[in-house]
Amino acid sequence: MYQQQTTEEEEKFIQQQFEELLEDYKNSPHRKKVEIITKAFKFAHKAHMGTRRRSGEPYILHPLAVARIVIKEMGLGSTSICSALLHDVVEDTDYTVEDISNLFGPKIASIVDGLTKISGGVFGDKASLQAENFRKLILTMSEDIRVILIKIADRLHNMRTLSSMPPAKQHKITGETQYIYAPLAQRLGLFSIKTELEDLSFRYENPAAYADIERQIKETTPLLQKTFDEFSAPIHSELKNIGYDYTLSMRLKSPYSIWKKMQKKHIPFSEVYDLLAVRIVFTPKPNMSEKEQCWILYSILTNLYKPHPDRIRDWVNTPKANGYEALHVTVMGNGNWIEVQIRTDRMDDIAEKGLASHWKYKTGETEDSELDKWLKTIKELLEHPEPNAIDFMDTFKLNLFASEIFVFTPKGDIKTIPQGATALDFAFYLHSDIGLKCIGAKVNHKLVPLSYVLQSGDQVELLTARSQQPQSEWLNIVTTAKARTSLKSIFKKEIKSITKRGETALEEELKKMNLSISSATMPEIMNHYKFAHSDDLFYAIGRGTIDLKEISTILSKKKGDNRWMKIWKLQFGLGQKNEKETTLQKVDKNKTIQLSDNSNDFSYRIADCCQPIPGDEVIGITEEDESITIHKSQCEVAMKFKSSFGNRVRAVEWTSHKVLSFEAIIEIKGIDEVGVLKEIAKIISEEYSINISRINIETKDGIFEGRFHVYVYSTKDLNNLCMNLLKIKSVKSVSRIDSKQ
Ligand code: MN
């Protein structure tokens, strides 16, 4: 932010933006409180007068844009619009919450106060602060959900204008967005906002992949349009026949979800078959229930096209926990499986604008909505806070991402519980006392162990015994945040002593090698076992899950194994730089680090978890010993760092690489014919002179699957190699995979 008075032209533009905001508001079904909105705008405008954003535009345009998202994309009313307009006033100007309260009343003041407390990103620079901020975020959110909705709107606008931020800041912001805000938006039922947040993060994290997918979508669109037109023609005539008011639209999968699918299944764009979905939104007739009418449309549709028996999703009978209602069915249309979503106007509004519009339709129901229940769970979590900030966030994230299954109680009540939950989780979900006294469960009248993973539709009866004592092994059985938190608070003491025991044992083991627990040894060991905290490592050792004999091998392997765990050299700055400026002490954190193979100013290391090679989009993470580890931008480990230790993230970039080669793993699948492996090996080692370090091959029923560890200079080399391997007749697919496994 900086100061500079607005010009007359800018002033005109600001007024025009405000007029448009009012226009949107007047077109909404809310009561018309234009006066207070105008007052809030004038006040915010005056308060921010002369201040500009990094991009150069007058600051007030930001709160105006946030207010517009709040009305147009979330459907909230005047209180939220005013709060959005005022959301940065207390933070950035001399006005206080009391001032806001005097002028606009206590409700708006308390929302602005909540927004101010959680400003500056969810996370500050220090881990302890992060936990505190995060806790505040959740607490204010369970008091007034509008705080978090406006915060999401604020984040959405910041993501839309992210290009004016320096790269390192961008990584921190996109990390938080992917890790916290997108899941939150999804949890609150804001589907289009969630999709946009993910797409924007993806675009900044992985610009090349994004552009590539966007191009391919463009190329495929005419074909998809044709498929859609042919598919929808008979539906149109049927729906007109029975006299429904409706819209039929074509939905394209978002670039991020396409990319995610390609990554997960190791398939190219051309093999993503569910690019197209069809949505029918209709106005129900007054004398029949919405549910019945959804099924009428279902039967019309399935008279025309054959449905896939396993792919009917009925969220009309049992809405999702975030309020989503619709009937999804996948049918066979001209050789393709096509998903059709059937919704009424009301359901569509809920799906698009989430919870807010849900309230609008609520008619004096006394029962808690699923969302209220979820907020209650979160509050309970906060009553037994975890001592460790990251643990807490992980536990919370677990809850955010979880999609739900439905299970029945013996009496036939439906309960929603996260996917992957075990019988023991379910016991804790009902009540922590049931959890602590649980000895087993009957699922569909059959006895199962506590570790049984529940399936949607299971009927679950829990067996308890007064004599039962909770076991520490249970921590390995439970997957839900609620159960884990309850158990952890009980075992706190025990965990502490096991952790201590493990630490002592490790100390003694290291002593034998003349080493100690230090920044020289710990990162290697933790990296090997993929632990984020030393306490987790100590605990595992204390429990005996880790064999101490392995430690010496890990440490000695790292020492001698410098063929690819070499300490590479890297160079700071952009282009020519004064020698003195390139020393570690003077590093500008916002500067992009150039990774090259012929300078000697600094050291970096290639992360084991995702194994990036030159050409991949990468980021750097500053380790405790000030060295830098290079991860792929989308690597999960890196993602975690980005969202929780944003200040340790560095922007990095590959420069040319001709000296050092990097390990990459390619997976080749094909038909097991005589000579095919020889041909593969020939292309790799003779034509490309690429070194192979390891080969794993499995054959089964005439099909082979092979993993080749090869050394290449860059992604370009690798892509060339893959293309040429695909030319072999019996080779059916070639893809790069991430982990060493
Ligand atoms: Mn803001």
Side-chain angles (χ1 to χ4, degrees):
M1 278 193 304
Y2 59 98
Q3 297 285 323
Q4 191 192 324
Q5 284 308 319
T6 45
T7 64
E8 215 171 287
E9 212 170 299
E10 284 171 333
E11 206 48 54
K12 236 169 121 188
F13 182 69
I14 293 169
Q15 288 304 327
Q16 185 195 326
Q17 290 298 304
F18 177 62
E19 292 302 322
E20 282 178 30
L21 171 74
L22 277 187
E23 207 46 46
D24 287 336
Y25 178 63
K26 285 178 192 154
N27 289 333
S28 75
H30 293 280
R31 279 187 293 156
K32 310 297 175 228
K33 294 189 190 163
V34 173
E35 215 166 283
I36 190 161
I37 295 177
T38 311
K39 187 171 151 196
F41 163 67
K42 285 193 171 147
F43 181 75
H45 189 17
K46 212 178 103 209
H48 291 299
M49 192 56 94
T51 328
R52 285 169 188 272
R53 298 188 90 202
R54 206 176 236 285
S55 60
E57 56 173 27
Y59 197 86
I60 186 68
L61 288 172
H62 166 64
L64 264 172
V66 175
R68 210 136 174 234
I69 293 172
V70 158
I71 172 75
K72 243 193 140 175
E73 299 176 50
M74 294 175 170
L76 300 173
S78 63
T79 305
S80 306
I81 297 174
C82 290
S83 307
L85 286 168
L86 298 167
H87 83 271
D88 279 333
V89 166
V90 175
E91 168 93 2
D92 295 337
T93 75
D94 294 335
Y95 291 102
T96 62
V97 176
E98 285 76 58
D99 296 333
I100 305 275
S101 181
N102 290 334
L103 285 164
F104 299 97
K107 191 71 245 175
I108 291 176
S110 91
I111 296 177
V112 172
D113 188 32
L115 285 160
T116 309
K117 278 183 187 144
I118 54 174
S119 71
V122 183
F123 312 107
D125 273 357
K126 293 194 186 87
S128 54
L129 269 180
Q130 290 159 15
E132 205 32 55
N133 268 331
F134 194 64
R135 201 161 290 153
K136 272 187 202 152
L137 169 85
I138 308 304
L139 277 175
T140 26
M141 161 173 149
S142 46
E143 270 160 30
D144 191 328
I145 193 90
R146 284 175 288 192
V147 173
I148 193 64
L149 289 169
I150 297 167
K151 189 70 198 166
I152 292 173
D154 182 30
R155 174 52 58 116
L156 180 59
H157 185 245
N158 286 335
M159 285 299 292
R160 283 175 179 168
T161 52
L162 192 59
S163 58
S164 48
M165 284 286 171
K169 254 285 173 57
Q170 286 181 359
H171 285 305
K172 175 174 152 56
I173 294 174
T174 54
E176 277 180 11
T177 302
Q178 271 182 306
Y179 202 79
I180 304 287
Y181 287 95
L184 263 179
Q186 169 163 34
R187 196 61 187 70
L188 297 174
L190 301 159
F191 293 101
S192 33
I193 289 179
K194 172 232 167 201
T195 308
E196 188 178 346
L197 286 175
E198 281 177 347
D199 271 346
L200 284 167
S201 299
F202 174 47
R203 197 167 106 195
Y204 281 100
E205 288 294 326
N206 225 328
Y210 183 88
D212 199 44
I213 288 176
E214 218 186 13
R215 176 185 55 79
Q216 298 193 73
I217 292 177
K218 235 188 199 149
E219 282 170 14
T220 331
T221 306
L223 187 73
L224 293 172
Q225 182 67 50
K226 192 170 160 267
T227 312
F228 171 72
D229 290 343
E230 285 169 8
F231 179 79
S232 48
I235 307 177
H236 276 300
S237 59
E238 288 291 329
L239 288 179
K240 275 180 194 136
N241 264 344
I242 54 167
Y244 268 115
D245 241 355
Y246 69 94
T247 54
L248 226 172
S249 59
M250 164 166 127
R251 318 295 311 170
L252 288 184
K253 212 182 181 70
S254 72
Y256 177 71
S257 16
I258 294 174
W259 181 80
K260 228 171 54 188
K261 186 152 199 175
M262 288 165 65
Q263 297 295 307
K264 205 169 145 204
K265 301 203 160 176
H266 300 301
I267 51 173
F269 181 89
S270 58
E271 280 172 38
V272 178
Y273 290 119
D274 54 351
L275 289 174
L276 173 78
V278 172
R279 184 177 299 162
I280 306 174
V281 177
F282 70 101
T283 312
K285 293 177 181 173
N287 45 5
M288 210 190 302
S289 77
E290 288 185 29
K291 175 178 140 187
E292 259 175 278
Q293 297 182 67
C294 284
W295 287 102
I296 291 177
L297 261 65
Y298 168 86
S299 83
I300 290 173
L301 182 72
T302 50
N303 280 341
L304 295 165
Y305 301 107
K306 205 172 165 44
H308 192 302
D310 297 334
R311 284 196 245 160
I312 295 174
R313 299 282 176 271
D314 176 8
W315 287 305
V316 173
N317 263 317
T318 24
K320 282 195 189 182
N322 57 24
Y324 184 80
E325 291 175 62
L327 190 58
H328 289 194
V329 51
T330 299
V331 298
M332 175 54 79
N334 311 329
N336 299 310
W337 288 113
I338 295 176
E339 184 186 84
V340 182
Q341 307 163 352
I342 302 170
R343 304 172 179 171
T344 63
D345 301 332
R346 182 191 61 86
M347 296 174 182
D348 190 55
D349 212 27
I350 290 174
E352 292 298 311
K353 292 184 182 156
L355 166 91
S357 51
H358 200 55
W359 282 349
K360 204 165 68 195
Y361 287 101
K362 232 177 176 176
T363 43
E365 287 168 61
T366 46
E367 208 184 314
D368 286 356
S369 75
E370 286 295 329
L371 201 102
D372 296 333
K373 281 187 210 154
W374 176 70
L375 285 173
K376 242 183 232 163
T377 325
I378 297 298
K379 244 186 172 162
E380 268 173 50
L381 273 181
L382 290 165
E383 280 160 15
H384 310 274
E386 307 243 342
N388 192 311
I390 299 226
D391 263 11
F392 175 73
M393 286 192 271
D394 271 346
T395 311
F396 181 75
K397 188 184 142 211
L398 208 71
N399 248 1
L400 279 179
F401 279 122
S403 55
E404 302 100 16
I405 56 167
F406 301 107
V407 296
F408 295 92
T409 65
K411 283 184 187 151
D413 291 338
I414 276 199
K415 300 282 174 193
T416 318
I417 187 163
Q419 193 156 38
T422 59
L424 187 57
D425 280 309
F426 187 58
F428 277 99
Y429 166 83
L430 292 179
H431 198 286
S432 50
D433 285 346
I434 304 183
L436 295 172
K437 295 289 171 205
C438 195
I439 51 169
K442 273 184 179 174
V443 168
N444 307 324
H445 308 295
K446 253 190 235 146
L447 201 62
V448 297
L450 288 173
S451 58
Y452 174 85
V453 178
L454 298 174
Q455 308 291 316
S456 218
D458 277 349
Q459 188 181 48
V460 192
E461 182 189 346
L462 294 160
L463 310 170
T464 55
R466 203 172 293 171
S467 59
Q468 177 69 309
Q469 292 291 329
Q471 317 287 309
S472 57
E473 287 76 29
W474 286 7
L475 278 170
N476 302 324
I477 294 178
V478 297
T479 62
T480 54
K482 187 175 178 186
R484 179 158 298 160
T485 311
S486 303
L487 283 171
K488 270 202 175 165
S489 62
I490 284 185
F491 294 123
K492 217 178 254 167
K493 253 197 196 146
E494 200 183 338
I495 291 172
K496 229 180 174 172
S497 83
I498 294 175
T499 308
K500 189 71 212 149
R501 198 195 309 151
E503 189 177 352
T504 317
L506 180 64
E507 230 160 26
E508 278 164 13
E509 187 66 27
L510 288 171
K511 223 184 213 165
K512 287 186 211 156
M513 296 182 266
N514 280 326
L515 292 168
S516 63
I517 294 179
S518 68
S519 59
T521 51
M522 287 301 280
E524 305 289 1
I525 304 173
M526 307 232 309
N527 229 355
H528 179 87
Y529 292 110
K530 307 256 185 287
F531 283 122
H533 306 285
S534 46
D535 275 358
D536 295 341
L537 173 74
F538 298 152
Y539 181 77
I541 295 173
R543 287 292 310 272
T545 359
I546 284 179
D547 187 356
L548 275 176
K549 282 182 200 124
E550 287 173 18
I551 301 289
S552 67
T553 344
I554 293 161
L555 290 174
S556 61
K557 182 174 149 231
K558 293 290 171 185
K559 259 184 224 155
D561 186 19
N562 58 359
R563 198 148 64 102
W564 46 88
M565 283 306 293
K566 213 184 271 182
I567 301 293
W568 310 109
K569 306 296 177 190
L570 61 94
Q571 192 176 27
F572 279 105
L574 307 147
Q576 294 296 343
K577 275 270 137 79
N578 185 327
E579 282 233 41
K580 275 183 195 150
E581 263 185 57
T582 58
T583 50
L584 177 60
Q585 287 73 20
K586 292 185 181 171
V587 168
D588 175 353
K589 279 168 78 180
N590 286 329
K591 209 169 265 174
T592 302
I593 304 171
Q594 313 278 320
L595 305 176
S596 73
D597 47 12
N598 51 15
S599 61
N600 50 9
D601 301 316
F602 203 68
S603 55
Y604 67 96
R605 220 176 56 176
I606 300 300
D608 248 350
C609 45
C610 53
Q611 286 196 302
I613 63 175
D616 285 328
E617 300 284 348
V618 286
I619 59 159
I621 305 276
T622 316
E623 301 290 346
E624 263 149 42
D625 61 357
E626 294 292 312
S627 72
I628 288 184
T629 308
I630 308 299
H631 289 264
K632 280 190 189 165
S633 304
Q634 295 287 341
C635 163
E636 271 201 35
V637 177
M639 203 89 95
K640 206 159 145 175
F641 264 97
K642 277 188 287 184
S643 59
S644 35
F645 296 106
N647 56 327
R648 283 169 59 182
V649 174
R650 303 291 312 270
V652 294
E653 202 170 81
W654 303 100
T655 57
S656 69
H657 275 264
K658 294 192 179 69
V659 183
L660 300 171
S661 55
F662 293 78
E663 184 181 25
I665 309 170
I666 51 178
E667 189 177 74
I668 305 179
K669 290 181 189 169
I671 296 158
D672 186 21
E673 281 171 352
V674 181
V676 60
L677 292 175
K678 209 171 133 197
E679 213 173 326
I680 291 172
K682 196 175 141 215
I683 289 187
I684 298 179
S685 56
E686 285 179 25
E687 288 181 27
Y688 279 85
S689 332
I690 286 172
N691 278 328
I692 305 177
S693 70
R694 181 144 57 106
I695 302 178
N696 287 320
I697 291 177
E698 275 175 35
T699 56
K700 199 184 165 196
D701 303 329
I703 303 285
F704 77 87
E705 256 188 62
R707 283 186 180 189
F708 294 75
H709 295 236
V710 295
Y711 283 88
V712 291
Y713 293 122
S714 67
T715 46
K716 209 171 133 206
D717 285 4
L718 194 67
N719 292 341
N720 274 336
L721 174 67
C722 292
M723 299 271 276
N724 273 292
L725 288 168
L726 264 176
K727 287 183 187 155
I728 303 174
K729 228 182 87 204
S730 347
V731 168
K732 294 302 169 204
S733 79
V734 180
S735 55
R736 174 177 170 199
I737 56 174
D738 275 342
S739 72
K740 284 182 170 164
Q741 281 165 27

